[in-house]
Amino acid sequence: GATVIIAMGFAQAAAVETVAKEFPDTKFTLIDMVVDLPNVQSVIFKEHEGSFLVGMAAAMASKTGKVGTILGMDIPPVRAYEVGFRAGILTANVREGLDVEYVSATVGNFNNPSRGKALAQGLIAQGADVVLQLAGNTGLGVIEAVREANGQVWAIGADLDQDDLAPGKILVSILKRIDVAVFDA
């Protein structure tokens, strides 16, 4: 009986395609993937654009010359963020005369905060003083590791403003604004 169905995430694409064909009078909105059917509104984002700016900010804020990221999974939206972040670091290196190195680790899922924390602690031990989390709930562990770190270490939040999780330790957050996309849909 619903007139609009919102499907969150690229992993829902096959289900949306199947069900949208069964219910052609129902409107579907799919976030982060494209299904080309007349009753499906596909919403994709330009994650790389915001993360490019954040990459520049991370490189310019780093005192150790090493920044990193924790990836939840190697999937298209996360990869788009990561590619933009690396490009921002490279651009800051060239434009600002920096020599900032990039390091990363992939967890394998979005719901393992303890693993995210351990990997972030590893990057911090390698000298990373800015760590971007692209890991969903796993990223909560990344932010915890930064909050507990000695010295000036920054976290970068993703998808929403995460400053309240570690006040004074969040350099910036990349706002994707899925909330606005869903509301507009």
Side-chain angles (χ1 to χ4, degrees):
T3 58
V4 178
I5 306 291
I6 308 290
M8 301 299 293
F10 77 99
Q12 305 302 316
V16 167
E17 185 168 12
T18 299
V19 177
K21 289 176 182 174
E22 289 180 39
F23 298 92
D25 295 329
T26 302
K27 302 289 185 193
F28 293 83
T29 297
L30 175 61
I31 303 294
D32 279 340
M33 186 53 95
V34 175
V35 169
D36 189 19
L37 291 171
N39 60 331
V40 178
Q41 176 187 30
S42 299
V43 179
I44 57 172
F45 299 86
K46 296 179 180 178
E47 293 94 345
H48 60 286
E49 292 179 357
S51 62
F52 174 88
L53 297 173
V54 168
M56 287 190 70
M60 293 170 71
S62 178
K63 302 294 186 224
T64 64
K66 190 176 283 190
V67 301
T69 188
I70 301 295
L71 308 172
M73 296 176 72
D74 188 2
I75 58 173
V78 172
R79 183 57 61 200
Y81 272 121
E82 195 259 348
V83 166
F85 187 65
R86 282 188 291 124
I89 294 166
L90 178 62
T91 300
N93 281 345
V94 171
R95 292 186 59 146
E96 303 296 323
L98 303 173
D99 186 24
V100 176
E101 182 183 347
Y102 171 75
V103 292
S104 72
T106 302
V107 177
N109 68 60
F110 293 110
N111 204 23
N112 191 342
S114 62
R115 181 78 175 130
K117 180 178 180 180
L119 289 173
Q121 289 170 328
L123 294 184
I124 293 165
Q126 293 176 47
D129 61 349
V130 182
V131 181
L132 166 63
Q133 74 85 6
L134 298 171
N137 287 334
T138 298
L140 299 176
V142 174
I143 292 171
E144 184 177 340
V146 168
R147 186 176 57 240
E148 294 174 0
N150 293 325
Q152 185 60 51
V153 179
W154 297 99
I156 298 174
D159 292 336
L160 56 124
D161 182 359
Q162 295 187 306
D163 187 59
D164 63 321
L165 300 177
K169 295 292 237 171
I170 305 297
L171 180 63
V172 67
S173 294
I174 306 168
L175 302 181
K176 192 169 181 177
R177 300 313 309 251
I178 292 173
D179 56 337
V180 173
V182 169
F183 181 82
D184 287 349

